[in-house]
Amino acid sequence: MSSVAPFKPAANFAKKAHINTQAEYQKLYESSINEPENFWAEMAEELHWFKKWDKVVEYDFRKGEIKWFIGGKLNVSYNCLDRHVLAGNGNKTALLWEGNDPAESKSYSYSELLSEVQKCANVLKSNGIKKGDRVCIYMQMIPELAIAMLACTRIGAVHSIVFGAFSSDSLRDRINDSACKMLITQDSGVRGVKQDIPMKVNADTAAAECPSIEKILTVRRTGLEVNMKSGRDIYWHEEMDAADAECPVEEMDAEDPLYILYTSGSTGKPKGVLHTTGGYLVYTSLTHKYVFDYHEGDIYWCTADIGWVTGHSYIVYGPLANRAITMMYEGVPNYPDYGRFWKIVEKHKVNILYTAPTAIRALMKEGTSWPEKYDLSSLQLLGTVGEPIKEADWTWYNEVIGKKRCPIVDTWWQTETGGILITPLPGVTATKPGSATIPFFGVLPVILDEQGNELEGAAQGYLAIKAAWPSLMRTVYGDHDRFIQTYFARFPGYYFTGDGARRDEDGYYWITGRVDDVLNISGHRIGTAEVEGAIGRTDGVAEAAVVGFPHDIKGQGIYAFVTMMTGVDADDTTITAIENTVRKLIGPHAKPDKIQFTPALPKTRSGKIMRRILRKIAEGNVDQLGDISTLADPGVVTNLVDQRQ
Ligand code: PRX
């Protein structure tokens, strides 16, 4: 726990904040919990509805049934674009785009974005996409990505975005899981020093094994010559040039699917998290407004990739629904040098910066001289997401970047939750470094013990949520039973987050990390089972067990214990082979940081791998192995400890 006194919001900041007294927060929070129907009906009025809902909410966690704004009709693209243009704000800036190359940037007004989105929606339609069809988007951070998403929502198609670093195998599995009809990609991508990420090549490789794909729509980003298969492949610029500039919106039911986003769980196959339309947009826009204290004209920059949920909710949907100026960056924090983030802040006069602790750590390690070169005086608010932030990193962010003027919102949430659940409100909440602090409106967190009893007051245990909020996922695509088993079975009547947490005497929440076999590598969620499965497919490998260990920059690193088949010796080429298999089957971000070969893994007599022991060895806590008497062969441990990497 932090030893420092809580940080109160600076008076200047609090003065202009949407919510700036504890009494106001308390009143709204209590009404959101005690009268959720009234509270959420009032909040939902902020959006445009073609038809109002008949009932605000109905849910049953035991059956995994969750419905919000039942009977309501709306359209996401209408709310994010048309509504603002019709209100006379068409020439206000919607999207700012900063290229990987510092000389490249672009901006789109709301009218311009609307016009691109309408054209793109017509391109989708003329290529056979209808309401309910799934469209896979596999791109880098270019404006066409946001345009494609909004175009899907305009006609009621369901997008499934696959992060641009995933391999063609991962892309293939995700396309097949939801039977996408179209794949949208780009010729190749630029990101940091990488100038030719083979997006279309990967798309082609994947599509060769995806029977549902009828069309591949390719944006020309780099001009790289790519293979265009006749009858299947079409170029974005050619189609857009020919497309009609007007496309009416589809009136969607509040519970119609909006998108699928795959995320890793504790078992092998990634889950297709399904979000729906009304509740998701109400919740992401409301959180964006209050958590980032967004005011008209503020330049807001979330550095996430749209391939992850943070980009969906807080680069595209939440901000655009609020008519914000939202920025999208194609590159990485250290390209062309470690000053890039700060150069962007200065260039675009960024007011609100939302990033991940892993980026903060990577930049902090390069010293203060980089941020000192740039004018950061435009910054008013800082945010973090994705993993717990350590006190030293929080302090650097606060002092060197925020100059002690900017509140820091440490936001806890998940792909499944759709939006931020635990967070400070920047004009009110006194922050404690490392704590995500208090629940947002409508969120009822509880700490449970092993038996599922709710713990009162200061306590530590499993973090669960007791009531539904509007942006909670609705199902695992194509596998509702898995949805129930994963989130509602362990503690009946609650949504179980998979995280552990502690609540302190002030009611603040401190996330202690995952309690399942999910790793958090540089803020990317990776299941140990997925990595084990990939390593196991390397020639000569008999078995693998993967655990996390503390890593200075990534937060957690991947430590793999590998057993070779009898008679096969491991050497440096085996390591390269394992790395290549992981890269091919998952992507470069899942490559193990350490590989230890071992003649055997520690197993119980019933054959279960004792990960607890492996975790301790990987962490270097070899004196805390605990009871090893239940192992089939306790001798295995001595060897594991001796050979530790
Ligand atoms: O363990 C928690 C961690 O990230 C997990 C969710 O990962 P993902 O679905 O990829 O979404 C990341 C971005 C929303 C959580 O179960 N996590 C996320 N935010 C925080 C966090 N851990 C501590 N503090 C946070 N602020």
Side-chain angles (χ1 to χ4, degrees), residues 194-213:
K194 297 185 199 131
Q195 296 293 317
D196 255 326
I197 306 169
M199 306 299 289
K200 176 67 163 68
V201 171
N202 288 348
D204 286 342
T205 311
E209 296 174 45
C210 296
S212 59
I213 291 290

Side-chain angles (χ1 to χ4, degrees), residues 567-641:
V568 181
D569 285 331
D571 56 20
D572 286 351
T573 60
T574 323
I575 294 184
T576 312
I578 289 173
E579 289 174 353
N580 286 342
T581 317
V582 172
R583 194 177 287 124
K584 176 175 179 322
L585 295 178
I586 307 176
H589 56 294
K591 188 170 85 76
D593 298 279
K594 293 185 180 182
I595 298 177
Q596 177 175 348
F597 293 101
T598 171
L601 293 168
K603 291 189 182 169
T604 59
R605 284 180 206 107
S606 60
K608 201 167 168 282
I609 296 174
M610 291 192 73
R611 287 166 188 285
R612 172 180 62 82
I613 293 175
L614 295 176
R615 249 179 246 126
K616 292 290 177 198
I617 294 172
E619 286 163 4
N621 296 319
V622 291
D623 53 339
Q624 299 167 20
L625 298 182
D627 180 14
I628 57 169
S629 63
T630 52
L631 284 176
D633 174 9
V636 168
V637 173
T638 320
N639 181 280
L640 279 167
V641 170

Side-chain angles (χ1 to χ4, degrees), residues 263 309-310 384-388 410-416 436 497 499 511 513-514 520 523 525:
T263 190
V309 75
T310 308
T384 75
V385 58
E387 51 174 322
D410 175 348
T411 62
W412 173 85
W413 59 297
Q414 311 177 295
T415 307
E416 294 88 336
T497 64
D499 278 344
I511 308 300
R514 301 289 307 191
N520 191 332
R525 215 164 125 171

